[in-house]
Amino acid sequence: MSALDVIHAIIAFKMKKPLSQVASNKSIKTLVAGKSTLQNEILGDLQKEFGSKIPDKAEDMSLQELGAAIGSTAGVLGKCAQPLVARMFSSKMPGGFSLSQARNRLQLSYGLGPQRQDALLLIALTMEPAARLATETEASTWLEKAAQLYAIRASISYSAVVGSSNSVGAAAQGPAISNAEMQIIRQREIEHVRQQIQLLAQYAGLDLREGARLAEREQAAGNKRQADLNDITAELGEELVAGVRPQFDARKMRRFDSFWNWARQDAYEWIQQAIAGSTAAIRVVSALLNACKLAMGTAPTYRELTAPMQPVTIISADGSVSYQEAAREDEPTCIEFVKHLRMASRNGTPPLIHMREQNESGLWIYSQSLSGVYFSALEDICESGLTFAGKTALVTGCGRGSIGADIVRGLLMGGARVLATTSNYSRRTTLFFENLYRQFGARGSELVVVPFNQGSVQDIDSLVNYAFGKD
């Protein structure tokens, strides 16, 4: 069972498609056709299955390239595939057809060892019945179809099983025993051993059924929980159930607070560049030192230095519409942008953005004084900056390229302690936040990143307890 086999099966299962419709020469991004939620679920399952072996930008690689990048595997079902197979048997198979019984049947009927059984069960996962099978006959037929498909994909043929554990394809030597006769012999041996154990237990005064009764009660409780979960899933749909599944785990918290290390590295790089590219290196270094000494006596300050942007919509000749951001004319910095916002229109109407106050008649009217205070505060922020030293902020929904990520950037520049959450927790995500802190983390700033699903009530409670807990 190769890494590609596991990848192929997991993706086919998540997409609810047969293996034949999941091309291994296509990437995950291409297969999901722009469904980012499904793409993130698949990447999360693959990371659970293979751990740190998942490379960066795995969604852009073809399945063949991804399998080659992961390399060799242990040859057994992992932390993602194993629970999926177990859940399929508990929810879709009849009561008398358990996973262990299916494995035993694969061993006796086809001579498959544990690893080949795992590979076959992966294929069976992509053939999961739409509803629970009513009888063991239906389950046996389903398992037989999965075995035949596995034989085709693995390029093997099933031969008669000799003895007790011959592998597939082995040549028969000596007299052959049919599967039915072998099962009868095994049942007689097991029954003989059971009778001996019961006699010894009676002699010792032991209750051999105590553990079995406890297991039966636990099994009944587990079956009830699974039935309740099946009812909820059938009523709400798998997508909604997956959408509210908790993700928060305090053990996965990542903390970034080494602002001084990054500042020292940046200063060293600036000095080296000055020495290499300027004859006035000493003067540049001296100015940098004075600037650093001055900054040490002041609080960290967020100052927006990027050019104000405006949306631009372009309609091409064929009617397609595209959107992009462009720099605003006559507004190279935020101060010009605020001043233009402050200007009233020529016909005497108030600015587009303004403050209102309630008069004696209860009407809300334009307040020039309050608007003046508001715009003066904005101008002061643009010119002098804004400090968040000693402040703590919680920012959710701050993925790459989002408004939340820019908010985190400004808070870190101002020296705030930021608790950021992400619903797509992975090595790539933590590297993004590490680089964000490395580039913008000011003195005293701190960035804590935790996995979090805002659609989960449990996660909301866990996040509140984590943020306001004693630790």
Side-chain angles (χ1 to χ4, degrees), residues 198-235:
Q198 289 176 347
L199 289 173
L200 291 173
Q202 289 177 0
Y203 179 79
L206 300 178
D207 182 8
L208 296 181
R209 288 284 302 163
E210 181 179 1
R213 283 191 289 269
L214 177 60
E216 289 171 357
R217 289 194 296 269
E218 292 179 350
Q219 180 66 35
N223 291 339
K224 185 180 183 304
R225 287 193 297 268
Q226 185 62 52
D228 293 341
L229 180 59
N230 292 340
D231 292 340
I232 294 173
T233 303
E235 184 69 25

PDB file of all heavy atoms in Angstrom, residues 198-235:
ATOM      1  N   GLN A 198     -13.546 -22.816  30.740  1.00  0.00           N
ATOM      2  CA  GLN A 198     -14.715 -22.724  31.601  1.00  0.00           C
ATOM      3  C   GLN A 198     -14.608 -23.666  32.803  1.00  0.00           C
ATOM      4  O   GLN A 198     -14.978 -23.300  33.922  1.00  0.00           O
ATOM      5  CB  GLN A 198     -15.978 -23.032  30.794  1.00  0.00           C
ATOM      6  CG  GLN A 198     -16.360 -21.944  29.804  1.00  0.00           C
ATOM      7  CD  GLN A 198     -17.554 -22.329  28.953  1.00  0.00           C
ATOM      8  OE1 GLN A 198     -17.948 -23.499  28.925  1.00  0.00           O
ATOM      9  NE2 GLN A 198     -18.127 -21.346  28.245  1.00  0.00           N
ATOM     10  N   LEU A 199     -14.089 -24.861  32.569  1.00  0.00           N
ATOM     11  CA  LEU A 199     -13.919 -25.804  33.682  1.00  0.00           C
ATOM     12  C   LEU A 199     -12.914 -25.277  34.697  1.00  0.00           C
ATOM     13  O   LEU A 199     -13.127 -25.351  35.915  1.00  0.00           O
ATOM     14  CB  LEU A 199     -13.480 -27.171  33.142  1.00  0.00           C
ATOM     15  CG  LEU A 199     -14.540 -27.968  32.373  1.00  0.00           C
ATOM     16  CD1 LEU A 199     -13.925 -29.212  31.751  1.00  0.00           C
ATOM     17  CD2 LEU A 199     -15.699 -28.344  33.299  1.00  0.00           C
ATOM     18  N   LEU A 200     -11.808 -24.723  34.213  1.00  0.00           N
ATOM     19  CA  LEU A 200     -10.804 -24.172  35.125  1.00  0.00           C
ATOM     20  C   LEU A 200     -11.355 -22.973  35.888  1.00  0.00           C
ATOM     21  O   LEU A 200     -11.060 -22.795  37.073  1.00  0.00           O
ATOM     22  CB  LEU A 200      -9.556 -23.768  34.336  1.00  0.00           C
ATOM     23  CG  LEU A 200      -8.743 -24.927  33.741  1.00  0.00           C
ATOM     24  CD1 LEU A 200      -7.628 -24.387  32.839  1.00  0.00           C
ATOM     25  CD2 LEU A 200      -8.137 -25.781  34.860  1.00  0.00           C
ATOM     26  N   ALA A 201     -12.160 -22.132  35.221  1.00  0.00           N
ATOM     27  CA  ALA A 201     -12.734 -20.969  35.886  1.00  0.00           C
ATOM     28  C   ALA A 201     -13.714 -21.383  36.969  1.00  0.00           C
ATOM     29  O   ALA A 201     -13.753 -20.793  38.055  1.00  0.00           O
ATOM     30  CB  ALA A 201     -13.425 -20.076  34.860  1.00  0.00           C
ATOM     31  N   GLN A 202     -14.541 -22.407  36.697  1.00  0.00           N
ATOM     32  CA  GLN A 202     -15.478 -22.902  37.706  1.00  0.00           C
ATOM     33  C   GLN A 202     -14.721 -23.444  38.915  1.00  0.00           C
ATOM     34  O   GLN A 202     -15.114 -23.221  40.060  1.00  0.00           O
ATOM     35  CB  GLN A 202     -16.369 -23.987  37.111  1.00  0.00           C
ATOM     36  CG  GLN A 202     -17.392 -23.466  36.096  1.00  0.00           C
ATOM     37  CD  GLN A 202     -18.195 -24.588  35.473  1.00  0.00           C
ATOM     38  OE1 GLN A 202     -17.999 -25.761  35.796  1.00  0.00           O
ATOM     39  NE2 GLN A 202     -19.118 -24.240  34.564  1.00  0.00           N
ATOM     40  N   TYR A 203     -13.628 -24.120  38.655  1.00  0.00           N
ATOM     41  CA  TYR A 203     -12.827 -24.676  39.752  1.00  0.00           C
ATOM     42  C   TYR A 203     -12.220 -23.553  40.591  1.00  0.00           C
ATOM     43  O   TYR A 203     -12.157 -23.646  41.828  1.00  0.00           O
ATOM     44  CB  TYR A 203     -11.724 -25.568  39.181  1.00  0.00           C
ATOM     45  CG  TYR A 203     -10.828 -26.162  40.232  1.00  0.00           C
ATOM     46  CD1 TYR A 203     -11.242 -27.275  40.985  1.00  0.00           C
ATOM     47  CD2 TYR A 203      -9.576 -25.610  40.476  1.00  0.00           C
ATOM     48  CE1 TYR A 203     -10.414 -27.806  41.953  1.00  0.00           C
ATOM     49  CE2 TYR A 203      -8.743 -26.134  41.449  1.00  0.00           C
ATOM     50  CZ  TYR A 203      -9.170 -27.239  42.195  1.00  0.00           C
ATOM     51  OH  TYR A 203      -8.352 -27.754  43.155  1.00  0.00           O
ATOM     52  N   ALA A 204     -11.812 -22.441  39.936  1.00  0.00           N
ATOM     53  CA  ALA A 204     -11.189 -21.328  40.650  1.00  0.00           C
ATOM     54  C   ALA A 204     -12.207 -20.323  41.177  1.00  0.00           C
ATOM     55  O   ALA A 204     -11.843 -19.384  41.897  1.00  0.00           O
ATOM     56  CB  ALA A 204     -10.189 -20.601  39.726  1.00  0.00           C
ATOM     57  N   GLY A 205     -13.483 -20.500  40.839  1.00  0.00           N
ATOM     58  CA  GLY A 205     -14.503 -19.571  41.311  1.00  0.00           C
ATOM     59  C   GLY A 205     -14.474 -18.223  40.602  1.00  0.00           C
ATOM     60  O   GLY A 205     -14.819 -17.198  41.215  1.00  0.00           O
ATOM     61  N   LEU A 206     -14.087 -18.204  39.353  1.00  0.00           N
ATOM     62  CA  LEU A 206     -14.005 -16.956  38.594  1.00  0.00           C
ATOM     63  C   LEU A 206     -15.214 -16.800  37.677  1.00  0.00           C
ATOM     64  O   LEU A 206     -15.739 -17.798  37.168  1.00  0.00           O
ATOM     65  CB  LEU A 206     -12.723 -16.929  37.759  1.00  0.00           C
ATOM     66  CG  LEU A 206     -11.402 -17.018  38.537  1.00  0.00           C
ATOM     67  CD1 LEU A 206     -10.235 -17.039  37.558  1.00  0.00           C
ATOM     68  CD2 LEU A 206     -11.260 -15.859  39.507  1.00  0.00           C
ATOM     69  N   ASP A 207     -15.649 -15.539  37.481  1.00  0.00           N
ATOM     70  CA  ASP A 207     -16.760 -15.231  36.580  1.00  0.00           C
ATOM     71  C   ASP A 207     -16.171 -14.763  35.251  1.00  0.00           C
ATOM     72  O   ASP A 207     -15.713 -13.618  35.119  1.00  0.00           O
ATOM     73  CB  ASP A 207     -17.656 -14.150  37.182  1.00  0.00           C
ATOM     74  CG  ASP A 207     -18.863 -13.839  36.298  1.00  0.00           C
ATOM     75  OD1 ASP A 207     -19.064 -14.578  35.309  1.00  0.00           O
ATOM     76  OD2 ASP A 207     -19.571 -12.863  36.598  1.00  0.00           O
ATOM     77  N   LEU A 208     -16.179 -15.609  34.268  1.00  0.00           N
ATOM     78  CA  LEU A 208     -15.598 -15.263  32.966  1.00  0.00           C
ATOM     79  C   LEU A 208     -16.475 -14.301  32.172  1.00  0.00           C
ATOM     80  O   LEU A 208     -16.000 -13.689  31.209  1.00  0.00           O
ATOM     81  CB  LEU A 208     -15.375 -16.548  32.149  1.00  0.00           C
ATOM     82  CG  LEU A 208     -14.370 -17.544  32.714  1.00  0.00           C
ATOM     83  CD1 LEU A 208     -14.234 -18.745  31.788  1.00  0.00           C
ATOM     84  CD2 LEU A 208     -13.006 -16.885  32.911  1.00  0.00           C
ATOM     85  N   ARG A 209     -17.716 -14.157  32.556  1.00  0.00           N
ATOM     86  CA  ARG A 209     -18.628 -13.296  31.809  1.00  0.00           C
ATOM     87  C   ARG A 209     -18.634 -11.851  32.305  1.00  0.00           C
ATOM     88  O   ARG A 209     -19.290 -10.986  31.716  1.00  0.00           O
ATOM     89  CB  ARG A 209     -20.051 -13.852  31.895  1.00  0.00           C
ATOM     90  CG  ARG A 209     -20.288 -15.101  31.088  1.00  0.00           C
ATOM     91  CD  ARG A 209     -20.413 -14.753  29.625  1.00  0.00           C
ATOM     92  NE  ARG A 209     -21.503 -13.804  29.387  1.00  0.00           N
ATOM     93  CZ  ARG A 209     -21.634 -13.096  28.282  1.00  0.00           C
ATOM     94  NH1 ARG A 209     -20.723 -13.195  27.323  1.00  0.00           N
ATOM     95  NH2 ARG A 209     -22.648 -12.262  28.133  1.00  0.00           N
ATOM     96  N   GLU A 210     -17.899 -11.573  33.397  1.00  0.00           N
ATOM     97  CA  GLU A 210     -17.921 -10.222  33.964  1.00  0.00           C
ATOM     98  C   GLU A 210     -17.412  -9.192  32.947  1.00  0.00           C
ATOM     99  O   GLU A 210     -18.050  -8.165  32.702  1.00  0.00           O
ATOM    100  CB  GLU A 210     -17.070 -10.167  35.233  1.00  0.00           C
ATOM    101  CG  GLU A 210     -17.073  -8.794  35.893  1.00  0.00           C
ATOM    102  CD  GLU A 210     -16.239  -8.775  37.164  1.00  0.00           C
ATOM    103  OE1 GLU A 210     -15.646  -9.818  37.506  1.00  0.00           O
ATOM    104  OE2 GLU A 210     -16.174  -7.707  37.806  1.00  0.00           O
ATOM    105  N   GLY A 211     -16.276  -9.451  32.349  1.00  0.00           N
ATOM    106  CA  GLY A 211     -15.730  -8.536  31.344  1.00  0.00           C
ATOM    107  C   GLY A 211     -16.598  -8.454  30.106  1.00  0.00           C
ATOM    108  O   GLY A 211     -16.777  -7.381  29.520  1.00  0.00           O
ATOM    109  N   ALA A 212     -17.187  -9.589  29.721  1.00  0.00           N
ATOM    110  CA  ALA A 212     -18.036  -9.605  28.534  1.00  0.00           C
ATOM    111  C   ALA A 212     -19.293  -8.774  28.750  1.00  0.00           C
ATOM    112  O   ALA A 212     -19.738  -8.047  27.848  1.00  0.00           O
ATOM    113  CB  ALA A 212     -18.412 -11.040  28.175  1.00  0.00           C
ATOM    114  N   ARG A 213     -19.880  -8.879  29.965  1.00  0.00           N
ATOM    115  CA  ARG A 213     -21.079  -8.082  30.239  1.00  0.00           C
ATOM    116  C   ARG A 213     -20.767  -6.591  30.224  1.00  0.00           C
ATOM    117  O   ARG A 213     -21.563  -5.782  29.727  1.00  0.00           O
ATOM    118  CB  ARG A 213     -21.690  -8.502  31.584  1.00  0.00           C
ATOM    119  CG  ARG A 213     -22.467  -9.818  31.520  1.00  0.00           C
ATOM    120  CD  ARG A 213     -23.266 -10.035  32.794  1.00  0.00           C
ATOM    121  NE  ARG A 213     -22.381 -10.337  33.923  1.00  0.00           N
ATOM    122  CZ  ARG A 213     -22.029 -11.580  34.263  1.00  0.00           C
ATOM    123  NH1 ARG A 213     -22.462 -12.608  33.559  1.00  0.00           N
ATOM    124  NH2 ARG A 213     -21.240 -11.775  35.298  1.00  0.00           N
ATOM    125  N   LEU A 214     -19.614  -6.230  30.795  1.00  0.00           N
ATOM    126  CA  LEU A 214     -19.210  -4.827  30.762  1.00  0.00           C
ATOM    127  C   LEU A 214     -18.990  -4.357  29.316  1.00  0.00           C
ATOM    128  O   LEU A 214     -19.422  -3.254  28.943  1.00  0.00           O
ATOM    129  CB  LEU A 214     -17.922  -4.639  31.576  1.00  0.00           C
ATOM    130  CG  LEU A 214     -17.323  -3.224  31.574  1.00  0.00           C
ATOM    131  CD1 LEU A 214     -18.323  -2.230  32.163  1.00  0.00           C
ATOM    132  CD2 LEU A 214     -16.009  -3.193  32.350  1.00  0.00           C
ATOM    133  N   ALA A 215     -18.367  -5.200  28.518  1.00  0.00           N
ATOM    134  CA  ALA A 215     -18.138  -4.848  27.111  1.00  0.00           C
ATOM    135  C   ALA A 215     -19.458  -4.715  26.359  1.00  0.00           C
ATOM    136  O   ALA A 215     -19.617  -3.824  25.499  1.00  0.00           O
ATOM    137  CB  ALA A 215     -17.258  -5.906  26.447  1.00  0.00           C
ATOM    138  N   GLU A 216     -20.423  -5.584  26.691  1.00  0.00           N
ATOM    139  CA  GLU A 216     -21.732  -5.511  26.034  1.00  0.00           C
ATOM    140  C   GLU A 216     -22.447  -4.210  26.376  1.00  0.00           C
ATOM    141  O   GLU A 216     -23.077  -3.589  25.513  1.00  0.00           O
ATOM    142  CB  GLU A 216     -22.580  -6.713  26.439  1.00  0.00           C
ATOM    143  CG  GLU A 216     -22.103  -8.029  25.825  1.00  0.00           C
ATOM    144  CD  GLU A 216     -22.829  -9.221  26.410  1.00  0.00           C
ATOM    145  OE1 GLU A 216     -23.663  -9.009  27.323  1.00  0.00           O
ATOM    146  OE2 GLU A 216     -22.569 -10.360  25.964  1.00  0.00           O
ATOM    147  N   ARG A 217     -22.349  -3.791  27.660  1.00  0.00           N
ATOM    148  CA  ARG A 217     -22.977  -2.529  28.048  1.00  0.00           C
ATOM    149  C   ARG A 217     -22.307  -1.355  27.336  1.00  0.00           C
ATOM    150  O   ARG A 217     -22.990  -0.439  26.853  1.00  0.00           O
ATOM    151  CB  ARG A 217     -22.896  -2.344  29.568  1.00  0.00           C
ATOM    152  CG  ARG A 217     -23.801  -3.289  30.353  1.00  0.00           C
ATOM    153  CD  ARG A 217     -23.938  -2.840  31.791  1.00  0.00           C
ATOM    154  NE  ARG A 217     -22.671  -2.883  32.506  1.00  0.00           N
ATOM    155  CZ  ARG A 217     -22.233  -3.937  33.189  1.00  0.00           C
ATOM    156  NH1 ARG A 217     -22.975  -5.049  33.237  1.00  0.00           N
ATOM    157  NH2 ARG A 217     -21.082  -3.900  33.811  1.00  0.00           N
ATOM    158  N   GLU A 218     -20.982  -1.389  27.266  1.00  0.00           N
ATOM    159  CA  GLU A 218     -20.279  -0.318  26.579  1.00  0.00           C
ATOM    160  C   GLU A 218     -20.576  -0.325  25.089  1.00  0.00           C
ATOM    161  O   GLU A 218     -20.711   0.730  24.467  1.00  0.00           O
ATOM    162  CB  GLU A 218     -18.769  -0.456  26.818  1.00  0.00           C
ATOM    163  CG  GLU A 218     -18.353  -0.200  28.265  1.00  0.00           C
ATOM    164  CD  GLU A 218     -16.860  -0.369  28.468  1.00  0.00           C
ATOM    165  OE1 GLU A 218     -16.199  -0.877  27.525  1.00  0.00           O
ATOM    166  OE2 GLU A 218     -16.359  -0.003  29.545  1.00  0.00           O
ATOM    167  N   GLN A 219     -20.700  -1.529  24.516  1.00  0.00           N
ATOM    168  CA  GLN A 219     -21.039  -1.637  23.104  1.00  0.00           C
ATOM    169  C   GLN A 219     -22.436  -1.076  22.833  1.00  0.00           C
ATOM    170  O   GLN A 219     -22.656  -0.370  21.841  1.00  0.00           O
ATOM    171  CB  GLN A 219     -20.956  -3.095  22.661  1.00  0.00           C
ATOM    172  CG  GLN A 219     -21.295  -3.329  21.199  1.00  0.00           C
ATOM    173  CD  GLN A 219     -20.290  -2.690  20.263  1.00  0.00           C
ATOM    174  OE1 GLN A 219     -19.105  -2.645  20.567  1.00  0.00           O
ATOM    175  NE2 GLN A 219     -20.746  -2.197  19.114  1.00  0.00           N
ATOM    176  N   ALA A 220     -23.378  -1.383  23.728  1.00  0.00           N
ATOM    177  CA  ALA A 220     -24.736  -0.867  23.559  1.00  0.00           C
ATOM    178  C   ALA A 220     -24.755   0.656  23.656  1.00  0.00           C
ATOM    179  O   ALA A 220     -25.434   1.334  22.874  1.00  0.00           O
ATOM    180  CB  ALA A 220     -25.657  -1.480  24.614  1.00  0.00           C
ATOM    181  N   ALA A 221     -23.995   1.190  24.624  1.00  0.00           N
ATOM    182  CA  ALA A 221     -23.924   2.652  24.749  1.00  0.00           C
ATOM    183  C   ALA A 221     -23.266   3.265  23.517  1.00  0.00           C
ATOM    184  O   ALA A 221     -23.694   4.319  23.026  1.00  0.00           O
ATOM    185  CB  ALA A 221     -23.150   3.031  26.011  1.00  0.00           C
ATOM    186  N   GLY A 222     -22.217   2.605  23.011  1.00  0.00           N
ATOM    187  CA  GLY A 222     -21.561   3.102  21.800  1.00  0.00           C
ATOM    188  C   GLY A 222     -22.467   3.058  20.588  1.00  0.00           C
ATOM    189  O   GLY A 222     -22.479   3.980  19.771  1.00  0.00           O
ATOM    190  N   ASN A 223     -23.251   1.982  20.481  1.00  0.00           N
ATOM    191  CA  ASN A 223     -24.198   1.876  19.368  1.00  0.00           C
ATOM    192  C   ASN A 223     -25.260   2.970  19.434  1.00  0.00           C
ATOM    193  O   ASN A 223     -25.669   3.522  18.404  1.00  0.00           O
ATOM    194  CB  ASN A 223     -24.863   0.507  19.373  1.00  0.00           C
ATOM    195  CG  ASN A 223     -23.897  -0.612  19.009  1.00  0.00           C
ATOM    196  OD1 ASN A 223     -22.853  -0.362  18.385  1.00  0.00           O
ATOM    197  ND2 ASN A 223     -24.210  -1.823  19.415  1.00  0.00           N
ATOM    198  N   LYS A 224     -25.701   3.283  20.660  1.00  0.00           N
ATOM    199  CA  LYS A 224     -26.699   4.347  20.808  1.00  0.00           C
ATOM    200  C   LYS A 224     -26.120   5.696  20.416  1.00  0.00           C
ATOM    201  O   LYS A 224     -26.765   6.496  19.711  1.00  0.00           O
ATOM    202  CB  LYS A 224     -27.204   4.393  22.248  1.00  0.00           C
ATOM    203  CG  LYS A 224     -28.332   5.408  22.460  1.00  0.00           C
ATOM    204  CD  LYS A 224     -28.817   5.420  23.895  1.00  0.00           C
ATOM    205  CE  LYS A 224     -30.000   6.388  24.044  1.00  0.00           C
ATOM    206  NZ  LYS A 224     -29.681   7.745  23.598  1.00  0.00           N
ATOM    207  N   ARG A 225     -24.879   5.961  20.861  1.00  0.00           N
ATOM    208  CA  ARG A 225     -24.241   7.227  20.485  1.00  0.00           C
ATOM    209  C   ARG A 225     -24.057   7.315  18.980  1.00  0.00           C
ATOM    210  O   ARG A 225     -24.267   8.374  18.377  1.00  0.00           O
ATOM    211  CB  ARG A 225     -22.891   7.371  21.204  1.00  0.00           C
ATOM    212  CG  ARG A 225     -23.008   7.668  22.687  1.00  0.00           C
ATOM    213  CD  ARG A 225     -21.683   8.095  23.257  1.00  0.00           C
ATOM    214  NE  ARG A 225     -20.689   7.034  23.168  1.00  0.00           N
ATOM    215  CZ  ARG A 225     -20.450   6.149  24.114  1.00  0.00           C
ATOM    216  NH1 ARG A 225     -21.166   6.168  25.232  1.00  0.00           N
ATOM    217  NH2 ARG A 225     -19.517   5.223  23.955  1.00  0.00           N
ATOM    218  N   GLN A 226     -23.656   6.202  18.353  1.00  0.00           N
ATOM    219  CA  GLN A 226     -23.472   6.196  16.910  1.00  0.00           C
ATOM    220  C   GLN A 226     -24.801   6.386  16.190  1.00  0.00           C
ATOM    221  O   GLN A 226     -24.877   7.098  15.175  1.00  0.00           O
ATOM    222  CB  GLN A 226     -22.819   4.882  16.470  1.00  0.00           C
ATOM    223  CG  GLN A 226     -22.475   4.823  14.991  1.00  0.00           C
ATOM    224  CD  GLN A 226     -21.475   5.881  14.586  1.00  0.00           C
ATOM    225  OE1 GLN A 226     -20.422   6.010  15.203  1.00  0.00           O
ATOM    226  NE2 GLN A 226     -21.792   6.645  13.554  1.00  0.00           N
ATOM    227  N   ALA A 227     -25.868   5.770  16.718  1.00  0.00           N
ATOM    228  CA  ALA A 227     -27.190   5.945  16.102  1.00  0.00           C
ATOM    229  C   ALA A 227     -27.645   7.394  16.209  1.00  0.00           C
ATOM    230  O   ALA A 227     -28.199   7.957  15.259  1.00  0.00           O
ATOM    231  CB  ALA A 227     -28.197   5.014  16.780  1.00  0.00           C
ATOM    232  N   ASP A 228     -27.399   8.003  17.379  1.00  0.00           N
ATOM    233  CA  ASP A 228     -27.750   9.425  17.543  1.00  0.00           C
ATOM    234  C   ASP A 228     -26.963  10.284  16.559  1.00  0.00           C
ATOM    235  O   ASP A 228     -27.518  11.215  15.942  1.00  0.00           O
ATOM    236  CB  ASP A 228     -27.465   9.879  18.974  1.00  0.00           C
ATOM    237  CG  ASP A 228     -28.389   9.217  19.987  1.00  0.00           C
ATOM    238  OD1 ASP A 228     -29.447   8.706  19.568  1.00  0.00           O
ATOM    239  OD2 ASP A 228     -28.034   9.195  21.185  1.00  0.00           O
ATOM    240  N   LEU A 229     -25.675   9.986  16.413  1.00  0.00           N
ATOM    241  CA  LEU A 229     -24.842  10.748  15.483  1.00  0.00           C
ATOM    242  C   LEU A 229     -25.311  10.553  14.047  1.00  0.00           C
ATOM    243  O   LEU A 229     -25.347  11.514  13.260  1.00  0.00           O
ATOM    244  CB  LEU A 229     -23.380  10.313  15.625  1.00  0.00           C
ATOM    245  CG  LEU A 229     -22.369  11.037  14.715  1.00  0.00           C
ATOM    246  CD1 LEU A 229     -22.401  12.535  14.968  1.00  0.00           C
ATOM    247  CD2 LEU A 229     -20.972  10.487  14.931  1.00  0.00           C
ATOM    248  N   ASN A 230     -25.711   9.320  13.703  1.00  0.00           N
ATOM    249  CA  ASN A 230     -26.225   9.061  12.351  1.00  0.00           C
ATOM    250  C   ASN A 230     -27.513   9.843  12.096  1.00  0.00           C
ATOM    251  O   ASN A 230     -27.716  10.381  10.999  1.00  0.00           O
ATOM    252  CB  ASN A 230     -26.477   7.567  12.158  1.00  0.00           C
ATOM    253  CG  ASN A 230     -25.178   6.768  12.142  1.00  0.00           C
ATOM    254  OD1 ASN A 230     -24.109   7.313  11.910  1.00  0.00           O
ATOM    255  ND2 ASN A 230     -25.281   5.476  12.395  1.00  0.00           N
ATOM    256  N   ASP A 231     -28.372   9.916  13.118  1.00  0.00           N
ATOM    257  CA  ASP A 231     -29.620  10.670  12.964  1.00  0.00           C
ATOM    258  C   ASP A 231     -29.329  12.153  12.765  1.00  0.00           C
ATOM    259  O   ASP A 231     -29.956  12.814  11.919  1.00  0.00           O
ATOM    260  CB  ASP A 231     -30.512  10.467  14.189  1.00  0.00           C
ATOM    261  CG  ASP A 231     -31.047   9.041  14.288  1.00  0.00           C
ATOM    262  OD1 ASP A 231     -31.039   8.346  13.251  1.00  0.00           O
ATOM    263  OD2 ASP A 231     -31.443   8.630  15.391  1.00  0.00           O
ATOM    264  N   ILE A 232     -28.383  12.686  13.546  1.00  0.00           N
ATOM    265  CA  ILE A 232     -28.030  14.111  13.421  1.00  0.00           C
ATOM    266  C   ILE A 232     -27.435  14.388  12.048  1.00  0.00           C
ATOM    267  O   ILE A 232     -27.769  15.381  11.390  1.00  0.00           O
ATOM    268  CB  ILE A 232     -27.049  14.510  14.539  1.00  0.00           C
ATOM    269  CG1 ILE A 232     -27.737  14.430  15.899  1.00  0.00           C
ATOM    270  CG2 ILE A 232     -26.505  15.916  14.305  1.00  0.00           C
ATOM    271  CD1 ILE A 232     -26.810  14.643  17.065  1.00  0.00           C
ATOM    272  N   THR A 233     -26.557  13.483  11.593  1.00  0.00           N
ATOM    273  CA  THR A 233     -25.929  13.665  10.284  1.00  0.00           C
ATOM    274  C   THR A 233     -26.952  13.590   9.170  1.00  0.00           C
ATOM    275  O   THR A 233     -26.915  14.375   8.214  1.00  0.00           O
ATOM    276  CB  THR A 233     -24.842  12.600  10.071  1.00  0.00           C
ATOM    277  OG1 THR A 233     -23.883  12.679  11.136  1.00  0.00           O
ATOM    278  CG2 THR A 233     -24.119  12.814   8.749  1.00  0.00           C
ATOM    279  N   ALA A 234     -27.878  12.640   9.275  1.00  0.00           N
ATOM    280  CA  ALA A 234     -28.911  12.513   8.250  1.00  0.00           C
ATOM    281  C   ALA A 234     -29.831  13.730   8.228  1.00  0.00           C
ATOM    282  O   ALA A 234     -30.298  14.155   7.174  1.00  0.00           O
ATOM    283  CB  ALA A 234     -29.723  11.238   8.490  1.00  0.00           C
ATOM    284  N   GLU A 235     -30.085  14.304   9.391  1.00  0.00           N
ATOM    285  CA  GLU A 235     -30.986  15.455   9.477  1.00  0.00           C
ATOM    286  C   GLU A 235     -30.329  16.746   9.004  1.00  0.00           C
ATOM    287  O   GLU A 235     -30.929  17.538   8.266  1.00  0.00           O
ATOM    288  CB  GLU A 235     -31.468  15.626  10.928  1.00  0.00           C
ATOM    289  CG  GLU A 235     -32.490  16.730  11.134  1.00  0.00           C
ATOM    290  CD  GLU A 235     -33.824  16.418  10.520  1.00  0.00           C
ATOM    291  OE1 GLU A 235     -34.138  15.216  10.352  1.00  0.00           O
ATOM    292  OE2 GLU A 235     -34.567  17.371  10.204  1.00  0.00           O
TER     293      GLU A 235
END
